[in-house]
Amino acid sequence: DWVIYHFIGKRCKKVYEMRLDAGEKIKLHPVTFDEFVDLAINGKISEWQLAERMMRAKLYPKEMEKFKKLLFS
């Protein structure tokens, strides 16, 4: 069984190279907020609850405001 986690960071900067544990694989994929939303809408984010919330936010501006507040407050 494989476990996949998604982490959202903001205003990040690289300090040093990753030092991964044996068997650990981490890929960084820096994107803008709009690109992040599009990834979910296009099925590239496997967490269905997050993807559903982002799709709703894309369709309804008030939902987008709530979603951004949730992430960035």
Side-chain angles (χ1 to χ4, degrees):
D1 290 318
W2 294 93
V3 178
I4 298 174
Y5 296 98
H6 293 93
F7 293 93
I8 301 169
K10 56 184 179 177
R11 294 181 206 82
C12 298
K13 66 179 180 176
K14 187 174 185 175
V15 177
Y16 55 85
E17 294 298 321
M18 290 188 275
R19 290 179 248 167
L20 304 176
D21 292 337
E24 190 174 32
K25 294 179 184 178
I26 296 176
K27 292 182 183 179
L28 300 179
H29 190 73
V31 295
T32 66
F33 180 77
D34 291 332
E35 290 170 331
F36 177 61
V37 171
D38 288 340
L39 286 171
I41 290 171
N42 294 322
K44 302 294 183 186
I45 294 179
S46 59
E47 176 56 48
W48 70 268
Q49 291 169 318
L50 176 61
E52 178 185 25
R53 178 110 189 229
M54 289 166 59
M55 284 183 221
R56 208 174 317 119
K58 185 87 171 185
L59 291 172
Y60 305 106
K62 289 191 185 238
E63 288 297 318
M64 182 62 79
E65 289 175 31
K66 288 181 192 176
F67 186 64
K68 283 184 176 180
K69 190 174 183 178
L70 175 69
L71 290 179
F72 300 119
S73 294

